[in-house]
Amino acid sequence: MIRMNDVTVVYDNGIRAVNKASLRVDEGEFVFLVGASGSGKTTIIKLLTAEVRPTEGKVLVNNYNIGEMKKSRIPYLRRTLGVVYQDFRLIKTKTVYENVAFAMRTIGAKSKAIKQRVPYVLDLVGLADKAKEKPMNLSGGEQQRVAIARALANDPNVLLCDEATSALDPQTTKAILRLLKNLNEKLGITVVIIT
C-alpha cells in the first residue's frame, strides 16, 4: 500500500519540509497522520500523489516508486487514489451529480459506467437526494460528502484526506469521520486522514 523509508524533502528554496520520515500503511487500514502546522503533512500528501519527489529515501504507493517513476505514469498512480481536500474543490457551476461524474470523465470513463457509479457513490455518502443541487445550496458537511463521493468515483483503493474536517464544526466532523470509518469497513478502502 504505502511505504516511506527515511524520506527527506528539501524544496528548491532550501526549506526542509520532511526530514527522515518513515511511514507504513497496510491495505484496509484506517490511519491518522497528525502533526502541527508546518510539520510537513501537506508535503507528505504531495509525495503520496507524486506532486513532489523525495530528495532522499524511498516512497512506494500502490507498487509505484514515486522517486523513480516517469511523469507519464503519474496519472495511473493517481487513479488508484482518492483525495479529499479541506476546501472541497467543487465546481460551483456544476450539480452534485456533475461534480462526481467529472472525476470519471477526466479519465475517459464511458457514459454507462458514469450512470451506474455516480448514483452508487452518492448513495454511499448519503446524498442520493441531492444529485441535482449546486454546491452553494449545500451545507459544509454536505459539500464535504460530495468531495468524498468524487474521490470514490473511480474506485480507488486508498483515500487520502488532507485536513478534510478542519473547516467543519465538531458535530459535522464526527459525522464525516463516522462516514469515512464506515467506508473503510464496508468497502475495505484504506483511509489516511492527515490532520
Side-chain angles (χ1 to χ4, degrees):
M1 256 316 95
I2 297 172
R3 302 286 183 272
M4 287 176 47
N5 296 317
D6 291 324
V7 172
T8 297
V9 175
V10 180
Y11 287 113
D12 291 341
N13 62 5
I15 291 176
R16 184 176 293 264
V18 175
N19 189 37
K20 300 285 184 193
S22 294
L23 172 68
R24 177 185 173 137
V25 180
D26 291 322
E27 187 174 342
E29 283 194 296
F30 189 92
V31 176
F32 285 90
L33 179 60
V34 181
S37 180
S39 64
K41 299 182 307 294
T42 298
T43 299
I44 288 174
I45 285 278
K46 289 179 177 183
L47 277 166
L48 299 179
T49 60
E51 271 184 72
V52 168
R53 307 248 182 170
T55 307
E56 295 175 14
K58 190 172 190 176
V59 180
L60 294 172
V61 179
N62 294 329
N63 297 317
Y64 289 92
N65 185 331
I66 303 302
E68 296 177 2
M69 69 189 299
K70 294 178 181 176
K71 281 188 175 185
S72 63
R73 302 295 302 159
I74 293 173
Y76 298 99
L77 160 72
R78 291 183 181 161
R79 289 177 190 178
T80 71
L81 304 171
V83 184
V84 182
Y85 300 96
Q86 75 181 66
D87 59 357
F88 315 139
R89 297 190 184 179
L90 300 176
I91 303 168
K92 294 176 184 174
T93 58
K94 294 186 179 294
T95 66
V96 166
Y97 182 98
E98 292 166 339
N99 266 277
V100 177
F102 183 76
M104 295 182 72
R105 283 196 181 92
T106 60
I107 67 159
K110 305 280 187 220
S111 293
K112 183 178 179 182
I114 292 169
K115 287 177 184 174
Q116 291 175 341
R117 183 76 182 171
V118 173
Y120 170 73
V121 294
L122 288 176
D123 187 52
L124 277 177
V125 301
L127 291 176
D129 61 332
K130 303 282 184 174
K132 294 181 180 178
E133 293 289 337
K134 296 275 176 81
M136 67 196 98
N137 298 329
L138 304 176
S139 69
E142 289 171 329
Q143 288 181 49
Q144 191 59 292
R145 286 190 281 153
V146 174
I148 293 168
R150 184 187 53 209
L152 294 171
N154 292 313
D155 199 20
N157 53 12
V158 177
L159 188 62
L160 301 172
C161 303
D162 186 15
E163 303 278 2
T165 59
S166 65
L168 304 174
D169 63 80
Q171 187 173 356
T172 305
T173 294
K174 286 180 186 176
I176 294 295
L177 290 175
R178 272 194 308 273
L179 169 64
L180 292 170
K181 186 64 177 160
N182 184 42
L183 292 169
N184 168 258
E185 292 170 355
K186 186 176 180 180
L187 304 177
I189 191 167
T190 303
V191 178
V192 179
I193 299 176
I194 285 95
T195 190

